[in-house]
Each structure stands twice: as C-alpha cells, then as structure tokens.
C-alpha cells in the first residue's frame, strides 16, 4: 500500500507540474495573441488563418482515423516526431533512480510538457487563438484554466488506475483500442472551433 500511495502522490505532483507548465505557456501565448488582435487588420488575418488551420487539422484527424482503422496507427500525421519521443523517454529514464523524490516529478512534468507541446500545440494554439478574440478577458482566462484541467484529467485517471493495480500494459491496450475515437473526437473539436471562430 505504501508504494501505491507514493505512486498516487508522485502522480498528483507530476500532473500539477504539467498543468502549471501548460497554463503558463498558454498565458504567455494568449497575452501575445490578444495584443496582436487589438489591431483590426491583424485580427481579421488571424481569424481566417485560424479557420484554415482548424479545417486542416480536422481533415488530418479524419485521415488519421482511416489509417488507424486500416491497421496503420504508426503512420498517423498528428503525432510526436520520433526524435521528440526519444527525448521524453530519455528524460524519464535519467530520472527513474530518483523517481521517489517530489522535486524530480516536478522537473519531469515540466520537461515532458515542453517536449509534448510540439504535438499538443496542434489543439492548444488554435484554442488560444479563439480565446484571444473573446471580448471578456476574465472569461477567456477561466476557459484557459478549464482546458488545462481537462488536459491533465487523463493523467489523473492513469495514475488512479495504477494506484488501483491496473498494469501499464492494460492501460496502453485500452488507449490503443480507443485511439480512433479520439481522432474523430478531435476532428469534431477542430470543426467546432472553426465554426465558433467564424461566428465571433
């Protein structure tokens, strides 16, 4: 039970580090984008660029779904490059000896957040572009915080499952079984953001 409790605590610390890292990154980009949208011409250009990017990502997500259905998940477009995956794995391995330290979990969460931003930014940046165009800044910041809470929710579920005794193999199998649905869900999110961007 002691080991399981340590996993839960370290998982919570790791998730907190990821949340803080992504929120601060998002806050910086949000501030820059909001300043840019104050210029009317820039705001119009940003709006149509954002719509184009969102439609493109929606199309790629649907294409990824067809690849997954065809049994070729390694060929999907929207994923981390192999070099970034290697860096993440190297970072985790280099800290495995001190995995029991809370400070190590904080550092690891920060490093993983930076590496994975290359992939998760595909959703994050368009969302920030939409939030930057909202009239009420407090509402936009609230939605930014809510997004990041939802972002770390899968992490919390994984660590909770580990605490309950679910093996990493079962967790990986479950994720792979639902990967296609995740891609379709992302396509819907991208289309929804594109519609909202055009409507505002």
């Amino acid at each position: 039970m002691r080991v399981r409790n340590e996993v839960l605590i370290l998982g919570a610390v790791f998730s907190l580090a990821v949340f803080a890292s992504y929120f601060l990154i998002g806050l910086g980009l949000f501030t820059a984008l909001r300043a840019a949208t104050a210029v009317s011409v820039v705001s119009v250009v940003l709006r149509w660029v954002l719509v184009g990017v969102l439609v493109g990502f929606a199309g790629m997500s649907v294409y990824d779904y067809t690849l997954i259905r065809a049994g070729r998940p390694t060929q999907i477009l929207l994923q981390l490059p192999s070099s970034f995956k290697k860096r993440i794995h190297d970072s985790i391995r280099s800290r495995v000896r001190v995995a029991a330290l809370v400070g190590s979990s904080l550092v690891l969460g920060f490093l993983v957040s930076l590496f994975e931003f290359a992939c998760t930014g595909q959703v994050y940046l368009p969302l920030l572009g939409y939030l930057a165009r909202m009239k009420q800044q407090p509402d936009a910041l609230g939605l930014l915080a809510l997004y990041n809470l939802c972002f770390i929710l899968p992490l919390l579920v994984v660590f909770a499952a580990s605490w309950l005794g679910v093996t990493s193999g079962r967790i990986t199998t479950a994720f792979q079984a639902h990967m296609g649905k995740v891609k379709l869900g992302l396509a819907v999110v991208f289309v929804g953001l594109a519609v909202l961007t055009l409507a505002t």
Side-chain angles (χ1 to χ4, degrees):
M1 178 60 76
R2 179 182 176 183
V3 174
R4 289 168 62 188
N5 288 339
E6 287 179 351
V7 169
L8 194 62
I9 292 172
L10 292 174
V13 172
F14 178 84
S15 300
L16 177 62
V18 173
F19 172 84
S21 299
Y22 270 96
F23 183 80
L24 291 175
I25 291 172
L27 187 60
L29 293 172
F30 168 81
T31 302
L33 288 171
R34 194 165 182 84
T37 56
V39 181
S40 58
V41 175
V42 175
S43 179
V44 173
V45 172
L46 180 62
R47 178 186 185 187
W48 288 105
V49 169
L50 184 57
V51 170
V53 169
L54 287 166
V55 171
F57 281 157
M60 284 189 284
S61 295
V62 173
Y63 178 72
D64 284 349
Y65 170 76
T66 62
L67 289 176
I68 293 169
R69 293 282 294 177
R72 295 184 291 166
T74 58
Q75 299 178 18
I76 60 176
L77 300 176
L78 297 179
Q79 63 174 327
L80 276 175
S82 299
S83 58
F84 278 85
K85 291 180 182 178
K86 185 178 183 302
R87 289 182 185 179
I88 292 173
H89 294 160
D90 289 344
S91 296
I92 293 173
R93 280 195 295 269
S94 66
R95 286 163 179 79
V96 71
R97 296 177 183 175
V98 290
L101 299 177
V102 171
S104 178
S105 295
L106 286 171
V107 172
L108 187 58
F110 173 72
L111 291 176
V112 169
S113 298
L114 289 181
F115 289 139
E116 287 205 336
F117 185 73
C119 182
T120 56
Q122 296 162 357
V123 179
Y124 205 17
L125 288 175
L127 176 68
L128 290 170
Y130 170 74
L131 294 179
R133 300 182 70 253
M134 291 182 64
K135 294 181 180 179
Q136 300 297 326
Q137 181 168 337
D139 292 342
L141 293 176
L143 289 174
L144 177 61
L146 179 60
Y147 170 83
N148 282 283
L149 284 173
C150 293
F151 180 78
I152 66 168
L153 184 59
L155 284 176
L156 297 176
V157 170
V158 168
F159 284 118
S162 298
W163 180 77
L164 292 172
V166 180
T167 64
S168 59
R170 289 180 61 187
I171 294 173
T172 301
T173 300
F175 172 76
Q176 291 175 342
H178 295 89
M179 190 186 298
K181 295 177 183 178
V182 171
K183 289 296 182 179
L184 282 181
L186 280 175
V188 172
V189 169
F190 287 136
V191 171
L193 282 174
V195 172
L196 287 172
T197 301
L198 286 173
T200 57

